[in-house]
Amino acid sequence: MKELREKLSFWSVLVLIVIIVTSFVITSCDSIANWGNSSDTNPSASIDNKTILTTSKTIIITTTTDTSDYADLFNQYRQDNGLKPLSFTDDLNEVAKLRLEELKTNFSHSSQEGYNQHLAENIVMGISSDRQALSVWDNSSGHRANMLNSSYTYTGYASGGGYAVQLFTSYPTVNGEPQLPPGWHWTD
């Protein structure tokens, strides 16, 4: 009987330790967003805008910038070139995210879903930061023309996975479609 109590006591203590350690780990990970899922072969976590990708041998850390950081960088670029800042809208940011996912499978200015219809667009692949996307576009005359077009008022931006997309328009948008003044119509 004494031996049975000792075994039960050992297992009770062990279970208690597991519960405490698990509670500590869960509490410690509480601020981590998207801690991977069971189908991930390379689990990832996002802490303070830093994405940590792990493999069995290495840890790769890449820094991402949210849209507000890019907006500051972009609008400073416009102001340095004597232009007014553009308004980054939630609507165009969402359309840019959809377009970004499309670019990952079909890198082309021809959107299969029509996400960029009636919008000017800058796209890039193979970048490691938002600053690099801006720099690549600045060194391309067509992309630079979009970024420095004084008639544009609104923009949206998304980046990820080495890709970036920025959309431009002179008119407010609804579901990514510019709203023309009364009496105006698209001719396409």
Side-chain angles (χ1 to χ4, degrees):
M1 191 71 167
K2 182 179 177 188
E3 187 177 291
L4 180 60
R5 272 188 295 208
E6 289 174 0
K7 285 183 180 181
L8 285 176
S9 178
F10 168 78
W11 288 111
S12 298
V13 169
L14 183 61
V15 168
L16 184 59
I17 290 171
V18 168
I19 290 171
I20 292 170
V21 168
T22 303
S23 297
F24 175 76
V25 169
I26 291 171
T27 303
S28 298
C29 294
D30 211 6
S31 65
I32 298 175
N34 301 320
W35 182 260
N37 57 45
S38 60
S39 65
D40 285 337
T41 55
N42 293 324
S44 66
S46 177
I47 306 170
D48 299 328
N49 291 329
K50 295 194 186 325
T51 302
I52 302 171
L53 303 171
T54 61
T55 65
S56 60
K57 296 183 179 180
T58 59
I59 296 177
I60 304 162
I61 300 176
T62 58
T63 303
T64 60
T65 307
D66 66 18
T67 304
S68 65
D69 289 340
Y70 179 79
D72 292 341
L73 180 68
F74 175 78
N75 281 326
Q76 184 61 54
Y77 168 81
R78 281 184 58 93
Q79 289 173 336
D80 290 349
N81 284 279
L83 297 169
K84 293 179 182 176
L86 298 185
S87 295
F88 282 74
T89 68
D90 291 340
D91 182 57
L92 285 175
N93 287 338
E94 288 303 312
V95 174
K97 288 177 189 176
L98 294 170
R99 184 71 178 109
L100 180 72
E101 291 309 309
E102 188 179 57
L103 288 174
K104 292 177 181 178
T105 59
N106 180 32
F107 189 79
S108 166
H109 281 292
S110 298
S111 172
Q112 295 172 334
E113 299 296 325
Y115 295 129
N116 61 351
Q117 187 174 8
H118 306 131
L119 300 169
E121 161 183 274
N122 284 356
I123 60 176
V124 67
M125 65 185 287
I127 53 130
S128 59
S129 70
D130 295 328
R131 186 174 297 278
Q132 185 181 16
L134 185 69
S135 176
V136 168
W137 290 332
D138 182 45
N139 288 302
S140 163
S141 61
H143 295 103
R144 181 178 169 85
N146 281 341
M147 294 191 304
L148 297 179
N149 187 321
S150 62
S151 71
Y152 294 146
T153 308
Y154 304 98
T155 190
Y157 179 80
S159 67
Y163 296 82
V165 59
Q166 187 167 7
L167 304 170
F168 305 89
T169 184
S170 301
Y171 306 104
T173 60
V174 175
N175 296 322
E177 182 67 24
Q179 303 301 294
L180 295 176
W184 290 29
H185 303 282
W186 298 111
T187 58
D188 58 302

